[in-house]
Amino acid sequence: MMGRVFLLLFAAFLPNCSGYNSKWHYECTDGYCEKTLITENTTSPLSLAECNILCLDYASVWPQPTGNISIDNLTLIDVSAFSFTSEENTTISSLVEAAFGIFTCQFTLQLPRKPFLRNASSNGSAVQVQFEITDQDTEQLSFGTNESYTVRGLATDDGAINVTITAETFFGARHALETLSQLVVFDDLRNRTLFPASIAVSDQPAFNWRGVCLDTARNYITPKAIKRTLRAMAASKLNTFHWHLTDTASFPYVSSSHPELSEYGAYSSSKVYTDDDVKSIIEYARVRGIRVVPELDSPAHVGEGWQTSGVLTCFNQKPWTDYCAEPPCGQFDPSQSGVYDILEDLYGDLLTQFGTDVFHMGGDEVNVACWNITSNLTAWMVDEMGWGLSKSDFQEKVWPYFQNESAQRLYKQAGAQIPIILWSSDLTALDNVTSILPPEDYIIQIWDSADSSSIQTLLSQNYSVILSNYDGLYLDCGFAGWVTNGTNWCSPYKGWQTVYDNKPVNIAGTSVAQVLGGETVLWTEEAESDTVDSRLWPRAAAFAETLWSAPETTWEAAEERMLFHRERLVALGIGADALQPEWCRRNQQNCPT
Amino acid sequence: MMGRVFLLLFAAFLPNCSGYNSKWHYECTDGYCEKTLITENTTSPLSLAECNILCLDYASVWPQPTGNISIDNLTLIDVSAFSFTSEENTTISSLVEAAFGIFTCQFTLQLPRKPFLRNASSNGSAVQVQFEITDQDTEQLSFGTNESYTVRGLATDDGAINVTITAETFFGARHALETLSQLVVFDDLRNRTLFPASIAVSDQPAFNWRGVCLDTARNYITPKAIKRTLRAMAASKLNTFHWHLTDTASFPYVSSSHPELSEYGAYSSSKVYTDDDVKSIIEYARVRGIRVVPELDSPAHVGEGWQTSGVLTCFNQKPWTDYCAEPPCGQFDPSQSGVYDILEDLYGDLLTQFGTDVFHMGGDEVNVACWNITSNLTAWMVDEMGWGLSKSDFQEKVWPYFQNESAQRLYKQAGAQIPIILWSSDLTALDNVTSILPPEDYIIQIWDSADSSSIQTLLSQNYSVILSNYDGLYLDCGFAGWVTNGTNWCSPYKGWQTVYDNKPVNIAGTSVAQVLGGETVLWTEEAESDTVDSRLWPRAAAFAETLWSAPETTWEAAEERMLFHRERLVALGIGADALQPEWCRRNQQNCPT
């Protein structure tokens, strides 16, 4: 009779509380928000958003701060009375100005579209935000840039809330604004906007390299979609956009020195990244605390665009299964001196635009069989270099030759020996890899599976590494095969749970200090501008917490905050995927098995 | 030396043909379009779109016509000079008018946004479209509505192109417009719009029930997203939108007789379908040749909204694994006469709005354990009905009792014994099912796997069936688990290839005449308004061809047309998923293994 008694009791308490926009409110019980009927005995019912901020861990902030966070007294505020102060006329003033604008835009997007719905009553507190940034000169994120920040907020006697943000650099201060924007709460029971009258946060990231790698060559991704990606990255405190610009399938990058590459190699004359596009994307990222690292992948993963260069071999070679990882095949012929000349020009173009202090040269999936059928190359190997034609000749002589020659051209253009990133490969797996790729010059981005012995080997060889192990961080997995029926090579789909629990410390163990950080990766054979959002988000945000916070707990402890953060991303205009029925978000802890 | 010779030859023919927007054109070779360099010797280069229409099977129309299709002479047209004539002032005149408007809007979306880019030169032909529809009275699609059509188009002496569309009903004629809109070709080499000067098509569907089932209860789907779904359905000649309106997780439907159901059961006051929303969706569908079939699932799959009804049991019962298929649990208590009264009211509301000649009562996944712990029900079974409490008492007595009582209320409201659709279930698997659910009264929508013996059994019992076998047609499969880590229950993801090859004749064999058609299905535990498009499309369009055309060939033969159709959907504003790198679409037949 339990069920029936419950129903009768329930009916007896039918509410007559029409002052609220819902029959339900939320009560904080054991650290979670419990959906509860509003009755005439209910006093001060909480909306779900309010309850989440007051009740969930870390005031629901994503990623969870690594220092202290405490908030108190959600107070009615006047959303039109935010004001900002900062040191004026310094190197970073325009960055700070931009960040304030982004903050305002961002919290406004969390509110109802119609301004009159944002506060049912007036007389809310003004909020005064002040930046105190020690280093007024650093305007570009780099290795080791200090991203720490603290926030202190307190209501003053005159009713305003004063918030002071202190940070070593702009890049820490802007993260503080992300934290603050997550603390602007819309109470949808009463249509009013709230903010804590008391805030204390201290925070800094566990890993410095927190990235997303996006392939814009298998399918073209519009600048608009790239900017959505950057917006979601900033909201999750990710700081590195790794732009896989080109591949065998297309060459969308408009090089000022070699415009023929995109003229022949872009999918169409509109599916390109012009100088304006690139600059606009870099600046969009910079003001959001994100550095953009370009990747020009070679000597494999080249094809379209290079048809007239005289340095391309095996292009669209059949059967592709024998000569590359996916159609179309294509590699450079390292015996052609012209390839280094063109690459040098491209490095120059890219370094001028990106101003990067690190460069990604790709370097993955070189296919020996391709080089072996390139008679020009094999003739050069035998006749000019006096090498043999064994697998080791290709892997330990030709490939290092190419890498060294092209690296020298990069250094020449950079005017310095900047760090080079390479994907893990047969080259990085060589016993003598440290003599070919000195660990002080090269960073290895590992895409091998988490349990691969190659990871331990690279760490023992003293490489700094970036983790992108495919079994935890490849966000393109799990869809249909695209060369045949069935599933794609790295199925299954990596759920946010898998991504979240892909912890550097579990993979690198005691060598975790060599892990600079990691990147989720989206290869776009089966994604395009309209689907980039749902592939990346909220899963890339799950990994953002893993990198920022190095949480000791697993995904289960983060679930309710993850669902809430996904809603924030949607409010920002990101087409993030749905992780669960909304019921689970509104009935916390009721969906696990 | 092959590669090198090719490169040198290639370089020797560097084009100087700046009159075109690309370095590449397409040549029709062996039924496919081959990407080829434009040289000074190239005469009349074809854009990819032109080549697809002229070269691929069925003039690239999707779904492929079942009768004849031939087109000839792509001719410059004036896109602002389309005119339409039809019999005036008849019952269907407003439908016809709407369809002409949709056609114009639709082909315009395939053209560049900027009108001056649509035709580089003027003086294109006018196109005059005439409808000749026999039945001027049928304004609602129903069972057996004739959807056949023919098109005859020919250039006249005065330079115009006259197109005559003949059809028995409006619903055939509007399909003809979809075919025509696929024949409006934008030549992006020269910025001009073309149309065949000669067209002959005769066409009709193989199956009459060609649907998409969308769940709007696990997550709320906005009316805007539903309309996008309808737009894509119309473009693929699908004719049935099966609206799974409610479930345990939420009750977004605003019933005029029982508004409390959505007041308690909707996720929020804005996540509802008002009378205006419903009417607007139904009309949006109707003018696109789509009937909307509502599903009110019971006696399981009920919960939120019904808390105050006194007829709900097991709601959110724990552990859910014992009492239902997913959280939250919930079922009606069939012993409560009140349930039939409320259902009758709801049937009345729905029939008034939807005017449907068929009704979906759901009826899936009843859990005996739930009923068994409902003491009110068990007391009624024993004391009032003199039944036992064995599994068969619940399945063969209680469940049929509920089904019969609620069906009588539906008939009463409909004023006729309209066909009822039920999902396949333990009920439909009973040996004596035909006495409980007479095959002349019930249609079974089968979600069992294609090789399940239950399908053959239902066919042998003379049921008409709708195919939605989960292993071929459930589009929510393959993502992460949402109650735990891992994959969801029906993994892997069903690729378009699997969906396309899910042929009724392969499943039903010699009983295929009993197959009314089928539906792809999207359960939305892990999808929401922003992701509905990429889950459904282009896979639902793949099944559209299977149902319309009953092709004898498999997906391989349809691949290039599928890729082209996916581009059409994207042009219509549908966020369809990407199936392959664009390279494959531009280098036909180069991507298979």
Side-chain angles (χ1 to χ4, degrees):
Chain A
M1 287 297 287
M2 278 292 285
R4 173 45 45 102
V5 168
F6 167 73
L7 291 169
L8 289 175
L9 277 172
F10 192 97
F13 285 103
L14 272 186
N16 181 17
C17 315
S18 55
Y20 304 112
N21 295 334
S22 172
K23 303 279 189 200
W24 306 99
H25 70 124
Y26 293 83
E27 291 182 346
C28 184
T29 308
D30 297 334
Y32 294 103
C33 298
E34 190 175 3
K35 191 173 116 180
T36 309
L37 195 66
I38 296 175
T39 70
E40 52 195 8
N41 299 321
T42 305
T43 55
S44 307
L46 294 178
S47 64
L48 178 56
E50 278 175 280
C51 183
N52 279 341
I53 298 279
L54 293 169
C55 185
L56 296 182
D57 287 345
Y58 308 101
S60 267
V61 169
W62 191 280
Q64 52 178 263
T66 53
N68 173 59
I69 178 164
S70 66
I71 62 125
D72 213 348
N73 277 334
L74 292 183
T75 304
L76 191 69
I77 57 164
D78 178 353
V79 292
S80 63
F82 267 85
S83 61
F84 305 92
T85 53
S86 178
E87 198 164 336
E88 288 176 13
N89 299 319
T90 74
T91 307
I92 61 167
S93 291
S94 68
L95 272 180
V96 168
E97 197 69 29
F100 289 150
I102 291 164
F103 168 75
T104 303
C105 172
Q106 198 140 318
F107 79 71
T108 307
L109 286 171
Q110 313 275 346
L111 309 179
R113 292 280 171 88
K114 294 174 184 163
F116 68 89
L117 282 179
R118 292 173 188 166
N119 270 325
S121 64
S122 55
N123 297 321
S125 298
V127 180
Q128 293 153 353
V129 178
Q130 185 175 353
F131 264 13
E132 293 183 357
I133 299 174
T134 314
D135 170 359
Q136 291 285 327
D137 293 319
T138 299
E139 54 177 345
Q140 182 74 50
L141 188 86
S142 181
F143 282 104
T145 297
N146 185 324
E147 295 176 272
S148 69
Y149 68 91
T150 69
V151 179
R152 292 283 174 282
L154 212 56
T156 60
D157 292 342
D158 63 359
I161 300 172
N162 275 353
V163 178
T164 305
I165 289 170
T166 60
E168 174 72 19
T169 69
F170 164 79
F171 297 95
R174 58 94 34 215
H175 291 320
L177 292 178
E178 296 293 347
T179 299
L180 280 192
S181 81
Q182 296 187 8
L183 298 174
V184 179
V185 187
F186 185 72
D187 164 17
D188 62 2
L189 280 181
R190 304 171 189 80
N191 291 343
R192 54 181 198 166
T193 308
L194 308 170
F195 190 72
S198 164
I199 309 175
V201 187
S202 65
D203 197 9
Q204 64 178 0
F207 293 93
N208 289 323
W209 190 282
R210 305 182 308 280
V212 167
C213 172
L214 181 64
D215 165 16
T216 63
R218 268 57 172 263
N219 275 305
Y220 178 77
I221 308 298
T222 61
K224 195 172 167 186
I226 291 175
K227 288 178 181 174
R228 281 202 311 275
T229 303
L230 294 167
R231 210 183 320 151
M233 287 178 64
S236 307
K237 301 191 178 85
L238 290 164
N239 69 359
T240 302
F241 178 63
H242 169 178
W243 190 350
H244 184 85
L245 257 173
T246 63
D247 213 295
T248 43
S250 79
F251 198 101
Y253 173 68
V254 178
S255 152
S256 58
S257 62
H258 290 277
E260 74 281 4
L261 293 169
S262 57
E263 284 167 15
Y264 285 93
Y267 285 131
S268 78
S269 56
S270 62
K271 292 187 170 175
V272 293
Y273 303 108
T274 64
D275 186 53
D276 281 351
D277 292 332
V278 170
K279 283 179 178 156
S280 163
I281 286 166
I282 291 169
E283 185 61 13
Y284 195 92
R286 192 175 72 100
V287 300
R288 286 168 176 77
I290 299 168
R291 101 182 97 190
V292 183
V293 177
E295 176 185 351
L296 188 70
D297 199 354
S298 74
H301 290 282
V302 292
E304 288 286 348
W306 294 89
Q307 291 102 327
T308 66
S309 67
V311 303
L312 180 65
T313 184
C314 312
F315 183 54
N316 200 17
Q317 189 75 38
K318 309 284 178 62
W320 65 261
T321 42
D322 289 351
Y323 300 101
C324 60
E326 69 183 53
C329 296
Q331 286 182 193
F332 284 144
D333 174 353
S335 72
Q336 301 298 313
S337 62
V339 70
Y340 309 106
D341 297 335
I342 304 175
L343 283 174
E344 182 179 334
D345 293 338
L346 288 173
Y347 297 147
D349 294 340
L350 290 163
L351 290 166
T352 302
Q353 289 171 318
F354 288 78
T356 181
D357 58 340
V358 54
F359 197 88
H360 205 307
M361 295 181 74
D364 55 317
E365 297 188 313
V366 165
N367 185 297
V368 167
C370 158
W371 275 344
N372 211 351
I373 60 162
T374 304
S375 48
N376 213 73
L377 170 64
T378 52
W380 173 82
M381 289 169 69
V382 174
D383 300 341
E384 291 192 36
M385 305 303 280
W387 296 340
L389 295 174
S390 69
K391 186 176 171 187
S392 70
D393 286 298
F394 288 104
Q395 292 196 333
E396 297 176 38
K397 291 176 181 156
V398 177
W399 195 350
Y401 176 89
F402 174 85
Q403 181 56 40
N404 184 56
E405 290 292 311
S406 46
Q408 295 307 320
R409 302 300 185 104
L410 176 73
Y411 296 152
K412 186 175 161 196
Q413 286 292 330
Q417 203 161 326
I418 60 173
I420 292 170
I421 307 174
L422 288 179
W423 291 103
S424 56
S425 69
D426 289 342
L427 186 66
T428 67
L430 292 177
D431 288 341
N432 61 339
V433 59
T434 56
S435 62
I436 300 168
L437 309 170
E440 57 274 23
D441 299 336
Y442 284 90
I443 296 163
I444 311 301
Q445 182 165 12
I446 294 173
W447 64 283
D448 312 65
S449 64
D451 63 358
S452 166
S453 64
S454 63
I455 300 181
Q456 302 312 323
T457 304
L458 286 165
L459 290 168
S460 70
Q461 289 161 328
N462 286 320
Y463 284 101
S464 295
V465 303
I466 296 165
L467 292 179
S468 292
N469 53 299
Y470 78 85
D471 55 338
L473 299 174
Y474 271 25
L475 303 187
D476 56 315
C477 304
F479 293 85
W482 59 270
V483 284
T484 184
N485 200 353
T487 53
N488 62 12
W489 73 274
C490 58
S491 287
Y493 184 89
K494 316 305 173 203
W496 80 271
Q497 304 97 327
T498 300
V499 173
Y500 188 92
D501 287 350
N502 193 81
K503 298 180 183 179
V505 68
N506 293 350
I507 295 170
T510 53
S511 306
V512 69
Q514 285 167 249
V515 179
L516 301 178
E519 298 177 2
T520 50
V521 181
L522 181 57
W523 304 113
T524 55
E525 286 88 350
E526 299 174 279
E528 227 183 18
S529 304
D530 283 338
T531 44
V532 159
D533 289 17
S534 63
R535 294 283 200 277
L536 286 175
W537 309 105
R539 293 184 292 164
F543 195 51
E545 176 152 304
T546 304
L547 291 172
W548 179 280
S549 318
E552 292 183 3
T553 49
T554 53
W555 66 268
E556 289 90 342
E559 186 167 18
E560 307 300 349
R561 279 187 307 109
M562 174 90 276
L563 295 174
F564 191 34
H565 189 61
R566 184 259 172 193
E567 297 303 305
R568 289 187 196 114
L569 296 173
V570 170
L572 291 178
I574 311 301
D577 219 342
L579 300 176
Q580 293 192 338
E582 183 166 340
W583 192 86
C584 300
R585 182 163 71 79
R586 294 188 176 272
N587 294 271
Q588 296 181 359
Q589 300 295 298
N590 273 277
C591 283
T593 40
Chain B
M1 288 296 291
M2 278 292 288
R4 173 45 46 100
V5 168
F6 167 73
L7 290 169
L8 289 175
L9 275 172
F10 193 96
F13 285 103
L14 272 185
N16 180 19
C17 316
S18 56
Y20 304 111
N21 296 333
S22 172
K23 302 279 189 201
W24 306 98
H25 70 124
Y26 293 83
E27 290 182 349
C28 183
T29 308
D30 297 333
Y32 294 103
C33 296
E34 189 175 5
K35 191 172 115 182
T36 309
L37 194 68
I38 297 175
T39 69
E40 52 196 6
N41 298 322
T42 304
T43 54
S44 306
L46 294 178
S47 65
L48 178 55
E50 280 174 279
C51 183
N52 278 342
I53 298 280
L54 292 169
C55 186
L56 297 182
D57 287 344
Y58 309 101
S60 269
V61 169
W62 190 281
Q64 54 178 261
T66 53
N68 174 58
I69 177 164
S70 66
I71 61 124
D72 213 350
N73 276 334
L74 292 182
T75 302
L76 191 70
I77 57 165
D78 179 352
V79 293
S80 63
F82 267 83
S83 62
F84 305 92
T85 52
S86 179
E87 198 165 335
E88 289 176 12
N89 299 320
T90 73
T91 307
I92 61 167
S93 291
S94 67
L95 271 179
V96 167
E97 198 68 30
F100 288 152
I102 291 164
F103 168 75
T104 302
C105 172
Q106 197 141 320
F107 80 72
T108 305
L109 286 171
Q110 312 276 348
L111 308 179
R113 291 281 169 88
K114 296 175 181 160
F116 68 88
L117 281 180
R118 293 172 187 166
N119 270 324
S121 63
S122 56
N123 296 320
S125 297
V127 180
Q128 294 154 353
V129 178
Q130 186 175 355
F131 264 13
E132 293 182 356
I133 299 173
T134 313
D135 170 359
Q136 292 285 326
D137 294 320
T138 298
E139 53 177 347
Q140 182 74 49
L141 188 86
S142 179
F143 282 104
T145 297
N146 185 324
E147 295 177 272
S148 70
Y149 69 89
T150 69
V151 179
R152 291 283 175 281
L154 212 57
T156 60
D157 293 342
D158 63 0
I161 301 172
N162 276 352
V163 179
T164 306
I165 290 169
T166 61
E168 175 72 19
T169 70
F170 164 78
F171 296 95
R174 59 92 36 215
H175 291 320
L177 291 179
E178 296 292 348
T179 300
L180 279 191
S181 80
Q182 296 187 8
L183 298 174
V184 179
V185 187
F186 184 72
D187 164 17
D188 62 3
L189 279 181
R190 304 172 189 80
N191 291 344
R192 55 181 198 166
T193 308
L194 308 172
F195 191 72
S198 164
I199 309 173
V201 187
S202 65
D203 197 9
Q204 63 179 3
F207 293 92
N208 289 322
W209 190 283
R210 304 182 307 280
V212 167
C213 173
L214 182 65
D215 165 15
T216 63
R218 267 59 172 263
N219 275 305
Y220 179 75
I221 308 297
T222 61
K224 196 172 166 185
I226 291 175
K227 288 178 181 175
R228 283 202 309 275
T229 302
L230 294 167
R231 209 183 320 151
M233 286 177 65
S236 306
K237 300 192 178 86
L238 290 163
N239 70 359
T240 302
F241 178 63
H242 168 178
W243 191 349
H244 184 85
L245 257 174
T246 64
D247 214 293
T248 43
S250 80
F251 198 100
Y253 172 69
V254 178
S255 153
S256 58
S257 62
H258 290 276
E260 75 280 5
L261 293 169
S262 57
E263 285 166 15
Y264 285 93
Y267 285 132
S268 79
S269 56
S270 61
K271 293 188 170 176
V272 293
Y273 303 108
T274 65
D275 185 52
D276 281 350
D277 292 331
V278 170
K279 283 179 177 156
S280 162
I281 286 167
I282 292 169
E283 184 62 11
Y284 195 93
R286 191 176 72 100
V287 299
R288 286 168 176 76
I290 299 167
R291 104 182 96 190
V292 183
V293 177
E295 176 184 352
L296 188 70
D297 199 354
S298 73
H301 290 281
V302 292
E304 288 286 348
W306 295 88
Q307 290 101 328
T308 67
S309 66
V311 303
L312 181 64
T313 184
C314 313
F315 182 53
N316 201 18
Q317 189 75 39
K318 309 284 179 63
W320 65 261
T321 41
D322 288 352
Y323 300 101
C324 60
E326 70 184 51
C329 296
Q331 284 181 196
F332 285 145
D333 173 352
S335 71
Q336 301 299 313
S337 62
V339 70
Y340 309 105
D341 296 336
I342 303 176
L343 283 175
E344 182 179 333
D345 293 339
L346 288 173
Y347 297 147
D349 293 340
L350 289 164
L351 290 167
T352 302
Q353 288 171 319
F354 287 79
T356 180
D357 59 341
V358 54
F359 196 88
H360 204 306
M361 296 181 75
D364 54 319
E365 298 189 313
V366 165
N367 184 296
V368 166
C370 158
W371 275 345
N372 211 351
I373 60 161
T374 304
S375 48
N376 213 70
L377 171 64
T378 53
W380 173 82
M381 288 170 69
V382 174
D383 301 341
E384 290 193 35
M385 305 305 279
W387 296 340
L389 294 174
S390 69
K391 185 176 173 187
S392 70
D393 286 298
F394 288 103
Q395 292 197 334
E396 296 177 40
K397 289 174 181 158
V398 177
W399 194 350
Y401 175 88
F402 174 85
Q403 181 55 41
N404 184 56
E405 290 294 310
S406 47
Q408 294 308 319
R409 301 299 184 104
L410 176 73
Y411 296 152
K412 186 175 161 197
Q413 285 293 329
Q417 202 161 327
I418 61 172
I420 292 170
I421 308 175
L422 289 178
W423 291 103
S424 56
S425 69
D426 289 343
L427 187 67
T428 67
L430 293 176
D431 288 341
N432 60 340
V433 58
T434 55
S435 62
I436 300 167
L437 309 170
E440 57 274 23
D441 299 337
Y442 283 90
I443 296 163
I444 310 302
Q445 183 165 11
I446 294 173
W447 64 283
D448 311 63
S449 64
D451 62 358
S452 165
S453 63
S454 63
I455 300 180
Q456 302 311 322
T457 304
L458 286 164
L459 290 168
S460 71
Q461 288 162 326
N462 285 320
Y463 284 101
S464 295
V465 302
I466 296 165
L467 291 180
S468 291
N469 53 298
Y470 77 84
D471 56 339
L473 300 174
Y474 270 26
L475 302 187
D476 55 315
C477 304
F479 292 85
W482 59 270
V483 284
T484 184
N485 199 353
T487 52
N488 62 12
W489 73 274
C490 58
S491 287
Y493 184 89
K494 315 305 173 203
W496 81 271
Q497 304 95 328
T498 299
V499 174
Y500 188 92
D501 286 350
N502 194 79
K503 298 180 182 179
V505 68
N506 294 350
I507 295 170
T510 53
S511 305
V512 69
Q514 284 167 251
V515 179
L516 301 178
E519 297 177 2
T520 50
V521 181
L522 181 57
W523 304 112
T524 55
E525 285 89 351
E526 300 174 278
E528 228 183 18
S529 304
D530 282 338
T531 44
V532 158
D533 288 18
S534 63
R535 294 282 200 278
L536 285 176
W537 309 105
R539 293 185 292 163
F543 195 51
E545 176 152 303
T546 303
L547 291 172
W548 179 281
S549 317
E552 292 183 3
T553 49
T554 53
W555 65 269
E556 289 89 342
E559 186 166 18
E560 307 300 350
R561 279 188 307 109
M562 175 88 277
L563 295 175
F564 192 34
H565 190 61
R566 184 261 172 191
E567 297 303 306
R568 288 188 196 114
L569 296 173
V570 170
L572 291 177
I574 311 302
D577 220 340
L579 301 176
Q580 294 192 337
E582 181 165 340
W583 192 86
C584 299
R585 181 163 72 79
R586 294 188 176 273
N587 293 271
Q588 296 181 0
Q589 301 295 297
N590 274 278
C591 283
T593 41

